[in-house]
Amino acid sequence: MGDEINRFTDSTTDINDQSSSNKQLGEKAWYVVNTYSTHEKKVADYLRKRVETMGLQQLIFRIVVAEQEVPVMDRETGLPTEKTRMKNLYPGYVFVEMIMTDYAWYVVRNTPGVTGFVGSSGKGTKPFPIPREQIEPVLKRMGMVDESMYDRYKEGDAVKVIHGPFEGTEGNILSINRETGAVIVEAYFFGKSTNVEIDFSEIEKI
């Protein structure tokens, strides 16, 4: 075990010393980490601290627990109250944006509370990254929109509203404003065509 730790410590030194770009290290992608139930936030905090103390900012980037603020329902009436709570949309999972090197893989899977990676068959095989179209809705629910997401959308595309006041509504894109994030969607309510303005973070392609 001592030799293994020393080998990975040497790898960290090499990474920090080299002036090569992230592209030379590998492609940045999103991965799903399994955790013990209810330990998602603890795992994320542990991992962020490890990234900072071990100088892994060049290999591990965003660490996300997919939570969303939802209203607290009144037990008697079943109606929403003025109070809200944070709901974990994917219990038992933490989403990590990283470059999958041997060392980064080692650090993440040996973080306290982590039970493994989704997409890894074990026996020393590295996991596969999440396809862009699958991680995008997760990030949007968190309000994490980046410029590259717009490239997948164009006028005429069929979309579905994934959250917000029009959640569940389907329609076709009429226009997209990248500067403001406003999307005009032609939707149908009770058989009648209606144009509605929706934030880009609230839609996904169908």
Side-chain angles (χ1 to χ4, degrees):
M1 176 63 72
D3 291 339
E4 183 179 26
I5 294 175
N6 290 336
R7 185 174 74 253
F8 282 117
T9 301
D10 292 341
S11 298
T12 307
T13 303
D14 292 340
I15 290 170
N16 291 333
D17 289 344
Q18 60 183 293
S19 59
S20 60
S21 65
N22 285 351
K23 186 174 181 181
Q24 290 173 299
L25 287 172
E27 292 297 326
K28 181 166 62 175
W30 284 92
Y31 296 84
V32 182
V33 175
N34 284 114
T35 73
Y36 292 117
S37 179
T38 73
H39 285 218
E40 302 88 359
K41 295 182 75 172
K42 289 182 180 180
V43 167
D45 289 339
Y46 277 135
L47 190 49
R48 291 188 187 103
K49 290 177 182 177
R50 301 190 94 184
V51 169
E52 182 177 350
T53 59
M54 302 172 77
L56 296 175
Q57 294 87 348
Q58 194 179 7
L59 293 177
I60 301 174
F61 308 95
R62 291 179 285 182
I63 300 164
V64 175
V65 176
E67 291 184 317
Q68 191 173 50
E69 190 175 25
V70 297
V72 174
M73 309 303 287
D74 187 288
R75 293 185 178 180
E76 294 183 1
T77 65
L79 298 175
T81 66
E82 295 181 356
K83 297 180 180 180
T84 61
R85 65 180 179 86
M86 298 305 295
K87 178 183 178 181
N88 192 334
L89 302 176
Y90 299 92
Y93 299 106
V94 174
F95 300 87
V96 181
E97 184 184 37
M98 61 187 289
I99 295 174
M100 186 57 72
T101 65
D102 288 340
Y103 184 61
W105 182 40
Y106 174 85
V107 169
V108 174
R109 75 176 190 267
N110 285 283
T111 296
V114 170
T115 59
F117 276 88
V118 173
S120 174
S121 60
K123 301 179 181 179
T125 60
K126 290 193 181 83
F128 292 103
I130 313 171
R132 185 68 184 182
E133 61 271 16
Q134 292 182 20
I135 187 61
E136 184 180 293
V138 177
L139 299 179
K140 282 184 174 180
R141 285 180 181 272
M142 304 295 295
M144 301 170 63
V145 175
D146 58 60
E147 188 66 23
S148 65
M149 292 182 182
Y150 286 93
D151 296 336
R152 295 185 55 244
Y153 293 79
K154 64 181 183 302
E155 294 180 7
D157 282 347
V159 295
K160 180 178 180 178
V161 182
I162 57 176
H163 64 95
F166 294 103
E167 183 175 357
T169 300
E170 297 182 3
N172 296 91
I173 294 176
L174 295 179
S175 67
I176 303 175
N177 189 324
R178 290 195 178 209
E179 293 184 1
T180 64
V183 181
I184 304 300
V185 175
E186 180 185 25
Y188 288 86
F189 297 97
F190 306 106
K192 182 179 179 180
S193 173
T194 304
N195 295 346
V196 293
E197 182 176 312
I198 300 171
D199 191 85
F200 179 73
S201 67
E202 298 177 349
I203 63 170
E204 68 176 358
K205 293 181 69 173
I206 55 177

